Amino acid sequence: MSNFTTADGLTLAYDDQGAGVPLLCLAGLTRNMDDFEPVLEAFGDRARIIRLDSRGRGASDFAEDVMTYSVVQEAADALALVDHLGLEKVAILGTSRGGLLAMTLAFQHKHRLAGVLLNDIGPDIDAGGLRFIMTYLGEPPPFDTLQDAIQGLPDRMAPAFRNVSPEGWERFARRCWSVAPDGRLGLRYDPRLRDAVEAQAEGLEPPDLWPLFGLLEGVPLGLIRGANSDLLTRETAGKMQALRPDMDYTEVPDRGHVPFLDEPESIAAITRFLEPSR
C-alpha cells in the first residue's frame, strides 16, 4: 500500500499492482479498496490494478471539513492520484459512488478516460435503495463480532443475495468492517459521512445525472448490474442501453447492490472491458 497527499493536505491510501492497462478502481460510498481484491486476483497478471481509498474511507485520512465528502471533491482526488502516478489515461471500474466519480470526471476530463465500467450504478438512483443506505450510514456495524456477521449476513442480505458461501460472507464482512483481535467489528469509514450526505441533500432536488452519462459518449462503456439491485433498476439500465447501444451490459444473478465482482459473469464482463477484442 502507498500514499499520496491531496491539495488540501489529506493523506490518501492506494494500492498499485500488476502491469498492463491501468485500471483505476473506485469503491462505493462507505467502502474501500478491498472490495476490488477479486479484480486484483483475477486480472493482476494482465492489467495494472490501481485501488483507491477515498478520503474518509479505509486507510485514508478523515477530512476535517465533512463537506469535502462530496462526489466533486472525491473525483478531483481520483484525478490527483492519476496525476501522481504520471498517467495520461486510465480505465475506471467504478462501484456505486465510484461510478458517479467516473461520470463526474467525464465533465472536464473526458480525455483522461480510456473506458468506464460501472458496477451497479446509473444516472437514476432508486429512492428505495437510498432509503436502505440511510438505515445504516454512520451507524455502528449491525453485528457485534465477525462470527455474528457470518451467521447473520445471509438473512440480512436476503432475498437480494443468494448462493453465497460462509467463506464468501466472511470475505464480505472483512471488507466492510474492521475486525479487532477479539473479533469485534468496527466501521472502516468516517461516520460523519452521514452528516455530509444529509447536508448536501437538504432542501435540494436530486441532481439530473443523465447529462453526465451523456458525456461518456465515445468512451468505451460497460455496465454490471445485480439482477436484484434496489439502487439501479432494470428500467434505468434499459434506458442506458438505449442511449448507448454499444455499452457492454451484464446482469449478475443472485446479487443485489452491489455484485461482489468475483462472480463468473462479473469476471467475464471485466475481461471484455480490458480485452475488447476477445
mmCIF file of all heavy atoms in Angstrom, residues 180-217:
data_model
loop_
_atom_site.group_PDB
_atom_site.id
_atom_site.type_symbol
_atom_site.label_atom_id
_atom_site.label_comp_id
_atom_site.label_asym_id
_atom_site.label_seq_id
_atom_site.Cartn_x
_atom_site.Cartn_y
_atom_site.Cartn_z
ATOM 1 N N ALA A 180 -11.394 -6.392 15.272
ATOM 2 C CA ALA A 180 -10.445 -6.304 16.377
ATOM 3 C C ALA A 180 -9.920 -7.697 16.731
ATOM 4 O O ALA A 180 -10.489 -8.716 16.325
ATOM 5 C CB ALA A 180 -11.129 -5.667 17.588
ATOM 6 N N PRO A 181 -8.825 -7.776 17.490
ATOM 7 C CA PRO A 181 -8.291 -9.089 17.865
ATOM 8 C C PRO A 181 -9.311 -9.990 18.559
ATOM 9 O O PRO A 181 -9.245 -11.213 18.426
ATOM 10 C CB PRO A 181 -7.126 -8.731 18.805
ATOM 11 C CG PRO A 181 -6.669 -7.398 18.334
ATOM 12 C CD PRO A 181 -7.915 -6.684 17.916
ATOM 13 N N ASP A 182 -10.279 -9.382 19.253
ATOM 14 C CA ASP A 182 -11.296 -10.202 19.921
ATOM 15 C C ASP A 182 -12.483 -10.516 18.994
ATOM 16 O O ASP A 182 -13.483 -11.088 19.436
ATOM 17 C CB ASP A 182 -11.793 -9.517 21.196
ATOM 18 C CG ASP A 182 -12.506 -8.184 20.932
ATOM 19 O OD1 ASP A 182 -12.586 -7.773 19.750
ATOM 20 O OD2 ASP A 182 -12.983 -7.566 21.899
ATOM 21 N N GLY A 183 -12.357 -10.122 17.727
ATOM 22 C CA GLY A 183 -13.404 -10.417 16.759
ATOM 23 C C GLY A 183 -14.478 -9.362 16.637
ATOM 24 O O GLY A 183 -15.356 -9.468 15.779
ATOM 25 N N ARG A 184 -14.432 -8.326 17.474
ATOM 26 C CA ARG A 184 -15.474 -7.308 17.426
ATOM 27 C C ARG A 184 -15.296 -6.420 16.196
ATOM 28 O O ARG A 184 -14.179 -6.145 15.758
ATOM 29 C CB ARG A 184 -15.491 -6.466 18.709
ATOM 30 C CG ARG A 184 -15.784 -7.309 19.952
ATOM 31 C CD ARG A 184 -16.050 -6.447 21.170
ATOM 32 N NE ARG A 184 -17.335 -5.757 21.067
ATOM 33 C CZ ARG A 184 -18.505 -6.329 21.352
ATOM 34 N NH1 ARG A 184 -18.557 -7.599 21.740
ATOM 35 N NH2 ARG A 184 -19.617 -5.633 21.266
ATOM 36 N N LEU A 185 -16.423 -5.962 15.660
ATOM 37 C CA LEU A 185 -16.424 -5.230 14.407
ATOM 38 C C LEU A 185 -16.490 -3.721 14.631
ATOM 39 O O LEU A 185 -17.075 -3.245 15.611
ATOM 40 C CB LEU A 185 -17.625 -5.653 13.553
ATOM 41 C CG LEU A 185 -17.717 -7.132 13.188
ATOM 42 C CD1 LEU A 185 -18.972 -7.394 12.349
ATOM 43 C CD2 LEU A 185 -16.474 -7.593 12.432
ATOM 44 N N GLY A 186 -15.876 -2.986 13.708
ATOM 45 C CA GLY A 186 -15.942 -1.527 13.721
ATOM 46 C C GLY A 186 -16.070 -0.993 12.309
ATOM 47 O O GLY A 186 -15.868 -1.718 11.332
ATOM 48 N N LEU A 187 -16.424 0.279 12.195
ATOM 49 C CA LEU A 187 -16.558 0.898 10.883
ATOM 50 C C LEU A 187 -15.191 1.115 10.244
ATOM 51 O O LEU A 187 -14.202 1.372 10.932
ATOM 52 C CB LEU A 187 -17.276 2.244 10.993
ATOM 53 C CG LEU A 187 -18.726 2.227 11.481
ATOM 54 C CD1 LEU A 187 -19.276 3.647 11.518
ATOM 55 C CD2 LEU A 187 -19.592 1.340 10.603
ATOM 56 N N ARG A 188 -15.165 1.061 8.915
ATOM 57 C CA ARG A 188 -13.942 1.356 8.171
ATOM 58 C C ARG A 188 -14.104 2.656 7.380
ATOM 59 O O ARG A 188 -13.510 2.817 6.325
ATOM 60 C CB ARG A 188 -13.580 0.193 7.241
ATOM 61 C CG ARG A 188 -13.213 -1.092 7.978
ATOM 62 C CD ARG A 188 -12.703 -2.154 7.012
ATOM 63 N NE ARG A 188 -11.455 -1.766 6.387
ATOM 64 C CZ ARG A 188 -10.865 -2.453 5.408
ATOM 65 N NH1 ARG A 188 -11.437 -3.546 4.933
ATOM 66 N NH2 ARG A 188 -9.733 -2.035 4.879
ATOM 67 N N TYR A 189 -14.911 3.537 7.896
ATOM 68 C CA TYR A 189 -15.094 4.842 7.264
ATOM 69 C C TYR A 189 -15.483 5.843 8.335
ATOM 70 O O TYR A 189 -15.871 5.482 9.455
ATOM 71 C CB TYR A 189 -16.147 4.777 6.151
ATOM 72 C CG TYR A 189 -17.560 4.475 6.633
ATOM 73 C CD1 TYR A 189 -18.433 5.497 6.994
ATOM 74 C CD2 TYR A 189 -18.018 3.176 6.728
ATOM 75 C CE1 TYR A 189 -19.724 5.227 7.430
ATOM 76 C CE2 TYR A 189 -19.304 2.884 7.164
ATOM 77 C CZ TYR A 189 -20.148 3.917 7.505
ATOM 78 O OH TYR A 189 -21.420 3.647 7.943
ATOM 79 N N ASP A 190 -15.370 7.109 7.995
ATOM 80 C CA ASP A 190 -15.733 8.196 8.905
ATOM 81 C C ASP A 190 -17.261 8.229 9.041
ATOM 82 O O ASP A 190 -17.966 8.469 8.053
ATOM 83 C CB ASP A 190 -15.210 9.518 8.332
ATOM 84 C CG ASP A 190 -15.402 10.695 9.270
ATOM 85 O OD1 ASP A 190 -16.168 10.574 10.242
ATOM 86 O OD2 ASP A 190 -14.804 11.760 9.003
ATOM 87 N N PRO A 191 -17.801 8.028 10.244
ATOM 88 C CA PRO A 191 -19.262 8.037 10.395
ATOM 89 C C PRO A 191 -19.882 9.382 10.049
ATOM 90 O O PRO A 191 -21.091 9.470 9.796
ATOM 91 C CB PRO A 191 -19.478 7.679 11.873
ATOM 92 C CG PRO A 191 -18.181 7.967 12.548
ATOM 93 C CD PRO A 191 -17.120 7.724 11.526
ATOM 94 N N ARG A 192 -19.065 10.434 9.989
ATOM 95 C CA ARG A 192 -19.589 11.749 9.618
ATOM 96 C C ARG A 192 -19.962 11.836 8.142
ATOM 97 O O ARG A 192 -20.500 12.863 7.700
ATOM 98 C CB ARG A 192 -18.574 12.838 9.970
ATOM 99 C CG ARG A 192 -18.262 12.933 11.468
ATOM 100 C CD ARG A 192 -17.220 14.009 11.722
ATOM 101 N NE ARG A 192 -16.030 13.738 10.918
ATOM 102 C CZ ARG A 192 -15.198 14.675 10.470
ATOM 103 N NH1 ARG A 192 -15.418 15.952 10.735
ATOM 104 N NH2 ARG A 192 -14.138 14.349 9.753
ATOM 105 N N LEU A 193 -19.705 10.766 7.389
ATOM 106 C CA LEU A 193 -20.220 10.707 6.021
ATOM 107 C C LEU A 193 -21.723 10.941 5.999
ATOM 108 O O LEU A 193 -22.258 11.539 5.066
ATOM 109 C CB LEU A 193 -19.904 9.348 5.397
ATOM 110 C CG LEU A 193 -18.573 9.168 4.692
ATOM 111 C CD1 LEU A 193 -18.385 7.707 4.308
ATOM 112 C CD2 LEU A 193 -18.492 10.059 3.458
ATOM 113 N N ARG A 194 -22.391 10.462 7.029
ATOM 114 C CA ARG A 194 -23.846 10.675 7.104
ATOM 115 C C ARG A 194 -24.171 12.164 7.163
ATOM 116 O O ARG A 194 -25.100 12.639 6.490
ATOM 117 C CB ARG A 194 -24.422 9.950 8.315
ATOM 118 C CG ARG A 194 -25.945 10.060 8.393
ATOM 119 C CD ARG A 194 -26.534 9.415 9.635
ATOM 120 N NE ARG A 194 -27.988 9.404 9.537
ATOM 121 C CZ ARG A 194 -28.709 8.405 9.059
ATOM 122 N NH1 ARG A 194 -28.111 7.294 8.653
ATOM 123 N NH2 ARG A 194 -30.021 8.482 8.983
ATOM 124 N N ASP A 195 -23.411 12.910 7.967
ATOM 125 C CA ASP A 195 -23.640 14.352 8.070
ATOM 126 C C ASP A 195 -23.473 15.014 6.713
ATOM 127 O O ASP A 195 -24.250 15.905 6.341
ATOM 128 C CB ASP A 195 -22.665 14.976 9.071
ATOM 129 C CG ASP A 195 -22.800 14.387 10.469
ATOM 130 O OD1 ASP A 195 -23.908 13.936 10.817
ATOM 131 O OD2 ASP A 195 -21.792 14.379 11.199
ATOM 132 N N ALA A 196 -22.453 14.587 5.959
ATOM 133 C CA ALA A 196 -22.208 15.176 4.649
ATOM 134 C C ALA A 196 -23.349 14.879 3.694
ATOM 135 O O ALA A 196 -23.837 15.776 2.988
ATOM 136 C CB ALA A 196 -20.885 14.649 4.089
ATOM 137 N N VAL A 197 -23.778 13.624 3.651
ATOM 138 C CA VAL A 197 -24.854 13.232 2.739
ATOM 139 C C VAL A 197 -26.136 13.992 3.071
ATOM 140 O O VAL A 197 -26.826 14.510 2.183
ATOM 141 C CB VAL A 197 -25.074 11.712 2.786
ATOM 142 C CG1 VAL A 197 -26.344 11.319 2.045
ATOM 143 C CG2 VAL A 197 -23.868 10.983 2.191
ATOM 144 N N GLU A 198 -26.464 14.074 4.353
ATOM 145 C CA GLU A 198 -27.696 14.767 4.754
ATOM 146 C C GLU A 198 -27.619 16.254 4.437
ATOM 147 O O GLU A 198 -28.578 16.845 3.925
ATOM 148 C CB GLU A 198 -27.955 14.537 6.235
ATOM 149 C CG GLU A 198 -28.376 13.114 6.571
ATOM 150 C CD GLU A 198 -28.625 12.895 8.051
ATOM 151 O OE1 GLU A 198 -28.052 13.654 8.871
ATOM 152 O OE2 GLU A 198 -29.377 11.964 8.386
ATOM 153 N N ALA A 199 -26.474 16.876 4.730
ATOM 154 C CA ALA A 199 -26.338 18.312 4.497
ATOM 155 C C ALA A 199 -26.378 18.639 3.012
ATOM 156 O O ALA A 199 -26.984 19.638 2.592
ATOM 157 C CB ALA A 199 -25.032 18.816 5.111
ATOM 158 N N GLN A 200 -25.752 17.796 2.207
ATOM 159 C CA GLN A 200 -25.706 18.066 0.766
ATOM 160 C C GLN A 200 -27.053 17.830 0.097
ATOM 161 O O GLN A 200 -27.328 18.395 -0.972
ATOM 162 C CB GLN A 200 -24.618 17.206 0.123
ATOM 163 C CG GLN A 200 -23.209 17.638 0.513
ATOM 164 C CD GLN A 200 -22.165 16.570 0.300
ATOM 165 O OE1 GLN A 200 -22.403 15.552 -0.351
ATOM 166 N NE2 GLN A 200 -20.976 16.775 0.849
ATOM 167 N N ALA A 201 -27.894 17.014 0.708
ATOM 168 C CA ALA A 201 -29.214 16.728 0.125
ATOM 169 C C ALA A 201 -30.312 17.642 0.654
ATOM 170 O O ALA A 201 -31.400 17.703 0.063
ATOM 171 C CB ALA A 201 -29.593 15.272 0.401
ATOM 172 N N GLU A 202 -30.042 18.347 1.746
ATOM 173 C CA GLU A 202 -31.090 19.113 2.427
ATOM 174 C C GLU A 202 -31.688 20.178 1.513
ATOM 175 O O GLU A 202 -30.980 21.049 0.989
ATOM 176 C CB GLU A 202 -30.517 19.779 3.683
ATOM 177 C CG GLU A 202 -31.571 20.448 4.547
ATOM 178 C CD GLU A 202 -30.988 20.988 5.836
ATOM 179 O OE1 GLU A 202 -29.763 20.855 6.034
ATOM 180 O OE2 GLU A 202 -31.764 21.542 6.634
ATOM 181 N N GLY A 203 -32.993 20.077 1.321
ATOM 182 C CA GLY A 203 -33.721 21.087 0.568
ATOM 183 C C GLY A 203 -33.476 21.081 -0.930
ATOM 184 O O GLY A 203 -33.914 21.998 -1.624
ATOM 185 N N LEU A 204 -32.797 20.075 -1.420
ATOM 186 C CA LEU A 204 -32.460 20.043 -2.837
ATOM 187 C C LEU A 204 -33.141 18.884 -3.544
ATOM 188 O O LEU A 204 -33.325 17.808 -2.971
ATOM 189 C CB LEU A 204 -30.941 19.908 -3.022
ATOM 190 C CG LEU A 204 -30.069 21.024 -2.450
ATOM 191 C CD1 LEU A 204 -28.597 20.679 -2.647
ATOM 192 C CD2 LEU A 204 -30.395 22.358 -3.125
ATOM 193 N N GLU A 205 -33.505 19.097 -4.787
ATOM 194 C CA GLU A 205 -33.976 18.014 -5.626
ATOM 195 C C GLU A 205 -32.770 17.172 -6.056
ATOM 196 O O GLU A 205 -31.674 17.713 -6.240
ATOM 197 C CB GLU A 205 -34.688 18.561 -6.863
ATOM 198 C CG GLU A 205 -36.027 19.207 -6.575
ATOM 199 C CD GLU A 205 -37.048 18.194 -6.074
ATOM 200 O OE1 GLU A 205 -37.082 17.072 -6.610
ATOM 201 O OE2 GLU A 205 -37.806 18.530 -5.138
ATOM 202 N N PRO A 206 -32.948 15.860 -6.204
ATOM 203 C CA PRO A 206 -31.825 15.051 -6.692
ATOM 204 C C PRO A 206 -31.335 15.581 -8.038
ATOM 205 O O PRO A 206 -32.134 15.954 -8.895
ATOM 206 C CB PRO A 206 -32.451 13.656 -6.846
ATOM 207 C CG PRO A 206 -33.630 13.655 -5.936
ATOM 208 C CD PRO A 206 -34.150 15.057 -5.941
ATOM 209 N N PRO A 207 -30.017 15.661 -8.214
ATOM 210 C CA PRO A 207 -29.492 16.213 -9.461
ATOM 211 C C PRO A 207 -29.806 15.314 -10.652
ATOM 212 O O PRO A 207 -29.937 14.095 -10.508
ATOM 213 C CB PRO A 207 -27.986 16.289 -9.209
ATOM 214 C CG PRO A 207 -27.729 15.244 -8.167
ATOM 215 C CD PRO A 207 -28.952 15.238 -7.292
ATOM 216 N N ASP A 208 -29.940 15.921 -11.810
ATOM 217 C CA ASP A 208 -30.152 15.177 -13.053
ATOM 218 C C ASP A 208 -28.784 14.719 -13.552
ATOM 219 O O ASP A 208 -27.969 15.536 -14.004
ATOM 220 C CB ASP A 208 -30.835 16.072 -14.085
ATOM 221 C CG ASP A 208 -31.099 15.348 -15.404
ATOM 222 O OD1 ASP A 208 -30.825 14.129 -15.487
ATOM 223 O OD2 ASP A 208 -31.554 16.001 -16.349
ATOM 224 N N LEU A 209 -28.541 13.414 -13.466
ATOM 225 C CA LEU A 209 -27.233 12.873 -13.839
ATOM 226 C C LEU A 209 -27.170 12.385 -15.280
ATOM 227 O O LEU A 209 -26.095 11.994 -15.747
ATOM 228 C CB LEU A 209 -26.868 11.720 -12.890
ATOM 229 C CG LEU A 209 -26.805 12.082 -11.406
ATOM 230 C CD1 LEU A 209 -26.472 10.838 -10.581
ATOM 231 C CD2 LEU A 209 -25.777 13.172 -11.155
ATOM 232 N N TRP A 210 -28.293 12.431 -15.992
ATOM 233 C CA TRP A 210 -28.283 11.945 -17.372
ATOM 234 C C TRP A 210 -27.338 12.737 -18.266
ATOM 235 O O TRP A 210 -26.667 12.149 -19.137
ATOM 236 C CB TRP A 210 -29.700 11.918 -17.941
ATOM 237 C CG TRP A 210 -30.512 10.789 -17.360
ATOM 238 C CD1 TRP A 210 -31.471 10.874 -16.398
ATOM 239 C CD2 TRP A 210 -30.418 9.400 -17.706
ATOM 240 N NE1 TRP A 210 -31.973 9.632 -16.115
ATOM 241 C CE2 TRP A 210 -31.349 8.706 -16.902
ATOM 242 C CE3 TRP A 210 -29.624 8.683 -18.599
ATOM 243 C CZ2 TRP A 210 -31.511 7.327 -16.972
ATOM 244 C CZ3 TRP A 210 -29.777 7.302 -18.672
ATOM 245 C CH2 TRP A 210 -30.721 6.632 -17.870
ATOM 246 N N PRO A 211 -27.220 14.067 -18.098
ATOM 247 C CA PRO A 211 -26.230 14.780 -18.916
ATOM 248 C C PRO A 211 -24.800 14.278 -18.679
ATOM 249 O O PRO A 211 -24.011 14.211 -19.631
ATOM 250 C CB PRO A 211 -26.396 16.239 -18.471
ATOM 251 C CG PRO A 211 -27.822 16.328 -18.024
ATOM 252 C CD PRO A 211 -28.085 15.010 -17.353
ATOM 253 N N LEU A 212 -24.460 13.925 -17.427
ATOM 254 C CA LEU A 212 -23.126 13.379 -17.164
ATOM 255 C C LEU A 212 -22.942 12.046 -17.876
ATOM 256 O O LEU A 212 -21.885 11.769 -18.452
ATOM 257 C CB LEU A 212 -22.899 13.202 -15.659
ATOM 258 C CG LEU A 212 -22.686 14.456 -14.826
ATOM 259 C CD1 LEU A 212 -22.428 14.073 -13.370
ATOM 260 C CD2 LEU A 212 -21.528 15.289 -15.366
ATOM 261 N N PHE A 213 -23.986 11.214 -17.834
ATOM 262 C CA PHE A 213 -23.913 9.940 -18.553
ATOM 263 C C PHE A 213 -23.713 10.197 -20.044
ATOM 264 O O PHE A 213 -22.914 9.505 -20.701
ATOM 265 C CB PHE A 213 -25.180 9.125 -18.308
ATOM 266 C CG PHE A 213 -25.186 7.788 -19.006
ATOM 267 C CD1 PHE A 213 -24.408 6.740 -18.542
ATOM 268 C CD2 PHE A 213 -25.973 7.585 -20.136
ATOM 269 C CE1 PHE A 213 -24.417 5.502 -19.178
ATOM 270 C CE2 PHE A 213 -25.989 6.360 -20.777
ATOM 271 C CZ PHE A 213 -25.204 5.314 -20.305
ATOM 272 N N GLY A 214 -24.388 11.196 -20.561
ATOM 273 C CA GLY A 214 -24.245 11.516 -21.973
ATOM 274 C C GLY A 214 -22.841 11.947 -22.347
ATOM 275 O O GLY A 214 -22.402 11.727 -23.487
ATOM 276 N N LEU A 215 -22.127 12.541 -21.389
ATOM 277 C CA LEU A 215 -20.761 12.968 -21.664
ATOM 278 C C LEU A 215 -19.813 11.795 -21.895
ATOM 279 O O LEU A 215 -18.705 11.994 -22.405
ATOM 280 C CB LEU A 215 -20.237 13.828 -20.507
ATOM 281 C CG LEU A 215 -20.865 15.211 -20.369
ATOM 282 C CD1 LEU A 215 -20.370 15.886 -19.110
ATOM 283 C CD2 LEU A 215 -20.560 16.063 -21.594
ATOM 284 N N LEU A 216 -20.241 10.591 -21.539
ATOM 285 C CA LEU A 216 -19.407 9.412 -21.781
ATOM 286 C C LEU A 216 -19.477 8.950 -23.238
ATOM 287 O O LEU A 216 -18.844 7.952 -23.588
ATOM 288 C CB LEU A 216 -19.832 8.267 -20.854
ATOM 289 C CG LEU A 216 -19.562 8.480 -19.367
ATOM 290 C CD1 LEU A 216 -20.190 7.346 -18.553
ATOM 291 C CD2 LEU A 216 -18.062 8.561 -19.086
ATOM 292 N N GLU A 217 -20.220 9.665 -24.071
ATOM 293 C CA GLU A 217 -20.284 9.303 -25.487
ATOM 294 C C GLU A 217 -18.876 9.224 -26.073
ATOM 295 O O GLU A 217 -18.046 10.115 -25.873
ATOM 296 C CB GLU A 217 -21.099 10.333 -26.267
ATOM 297 C CG GLU A 217 -21.255 10.005 -27.744
ATOM 298 C CD GLU A 217 -22.067 11.036 -28.493
ATOM 299 O OE1 GLU A 217 -22.529 12.008 -27.856
ATOM 300 O OE2 GLU A 217 -22.227 10.872 -29.706
#
